[in-house]
Amino acid sequence: MSRSTIQVLLIAGFILFGNVIAAVAQTFEEPVSDGRSLRWDRYDVAIENMDTAANRFQVTEFYTITVEVGPFRYGFAEIPQDRLESISDVLVYENRSLLASSCSGSPGTYCARDEGDTYSIEYNFTRALQNGESREIAIRYTVHGALRSYSGGDQLYWVAVPGDRAFPVLSSKVTVTLPKDRPPQVTASYPDTWQKTLQGNVITWQSPGRLDGGDSVEVRVQYPHDARMKKPSWQAAYDREQAYLDHWQPIVSLLLVALTVLFT
């Protein structure tokens, strides 16, 4: 093995290690320090109205929130944009009533912003929630360019419940509805502890129980390739990165272990 190859592996190893640390750091949200707390009684996500030719689908996040120690005046959702092209048509409902689109911060409004790496949605309750009060919140939006195109079968990957929450989720259900002409070929959840139900082209995952901070779920569905759909702009770079990591990661890991032994 040449010196230049060793240098590349060392750099790759440090980058890989740094990426792992960064991912872990972004997973845990700093807890509220002023004594306030709430819980999600329900945290359900529905992915539907999928257009496999246009590479888009609709997501609805439905929460039932109960305040344990208040007050709480607003909430927010942040959607990473590294594996999609854009988000549009954002709507937010409180107790099934549509909130007004405004970034004024006034009660009964919501503000949707494209912030580059993330898409931010902040919603302001119609009035502050006090101890013991509950609210139903629904956030609906359209995702463009998140489906992956492969000749062996196109794929949906979606982090339905993120781990960067300060408060627990008592129960969660994730539902994916595929078009009638795109039956599921492969379905999975990460972690695989969620109970899966398959009824035709509808796949449902139910959480195994309470989800604490750091507990998340990503769902995967593969379906027959739609040749009309173009690859999303981010996929080529992502596939190259994954192929590189799959090829070099075992070698890098062994080299780092060997270097650790050598210099200790």
Side-chain angles (χ1 to χ4, degrees):
M1 184 179 293
S2 67
R3 180 183 181 89
S4 61
T5 303
I6 293 175
Q7 289 174 337
V8 169
L9 291 176
L10 282 172
I11 292 170
F14 290 131
I15 291 173
L16 180 62
F17 182 73
N19 286 342
V20 171
I21 294 299
V24 172
Q26 292 169 3
T27 300
F28 296 92
E29 183 180 359
E30 183 178 355
V32 174
S33 58
D34 60 5
R36 291 181 299 153
S37 63
L38 57 77
R39 66 178 185 269
W40 282 272
D41 295 315
R42 298 288 310 178
Y43 192 127
D44 296 340
V45 179
I47 298 173
E48 54 194 349
N49 297 326
M50 185 180 293
D51 187 332
T52 59
N55 198 336
R56 67 171 177 257
F57 54 85
Q58 187 180 73
V59 177
T60 303
E61 302 180 9
F62 180 84
Y63 319 138
T64 301
I65 300 170
T66 298
V67 172
E68 296 173 342
V69 180
F72 282 88
R73 294 178 172 80
Y74 70 94
F76 67 91
E78 290 184 339
I79 305 158
Q81 298 197 99
D82 55 333
R83 296 189 215 167
L84 56 85
E85 292 182 334
S86 65
I87 290 176
S88 67
D89 306 319
V90 178
L91 297 172
V92 181
Y93 299 82
E94 178 184 325
N95 287 350
R96 302 187 181 184
S97 295
L98 181 63
L99 301 183
S101 176
S102 169
C103 293
S104 64
S106 301
T109 64
Y110 71 93
C111 180
R113 289 194 180 102
D114 185 339
E115 298 183 344
D117 292 342
T118 61
Y119 195 93
S120 174
I121 304 170
E122 182 175 307
Y123 49 92
N124 300 279
F125 301 118
T126 50
R127 63 176 180 81
L129 302 187
Q130 306 296 334
N131 297 8
E133 291 189 316
S134 297
R135 283 291 185 279
E136 293 181 353
I137 298 293
I139 303 176
R140 181 171 298 159
Y141 50 90
T142 300
V143 180
H144 304 265
L147 301 174
R148 307 179 191 185
S149 177
Y150 300 103
S151 59
D154 297 339
Q155 299 186 31
L156 163 74
Y157 280 81
W158 193 254
V159 177
V161 181
D164 53 350
R165 292 170 286 98
F167 306 112
V169 172
L170 300 190
S171 183
S172 178
K173 181 175 69 175
V174 180
T175 304
V176 175
T177 303
L178 295 175
K180 292 182 179 179
D181 61 344
R182 293 287 182 264
Q185 296 174 320
V186 179
T187 60
S189 69
Y190 309 99
D192 63 1
T193 53
W194 289 51
Q195 182 179 357
K196 180 177 65 177
T197 303
L198 180 60
Q199 293 184 330
N201 282 20
V202 180
I203 310 101
T204 303
W205 290 269
Q206 178 65 49
S207 63
R210 172 187 168 116
L211 306 176
D212 290 313
D215 293 334
S216 64
V217 69
E218 181 176 23
V219 298
R220 174 198 175 197
V221 179
Q222 179 176 309
Y223 54 88
H225 176 58
D226 191 334
R228 299 169 299 171
M229 187 182 82
K230 295 180 179 179
K231 286 187 178 182
S233 57
W234 54 270
Q235 183 181 326
Y238 175 83
D239 287 344
R240 286 194 299 269
E241 179 185 0
Q242 289 302 114
Y244 178 82
L245 291 176
D246 291 343
H247 178 73
W248 288 106
Q249 184 174 353
I251 301 174
V252 170
S253 300
L254 288 173
L255 181 61
L256 291 175
V257 171
L259 291 174
T260 300
V261 173
L262 182 62
F263 291 104
T264 55

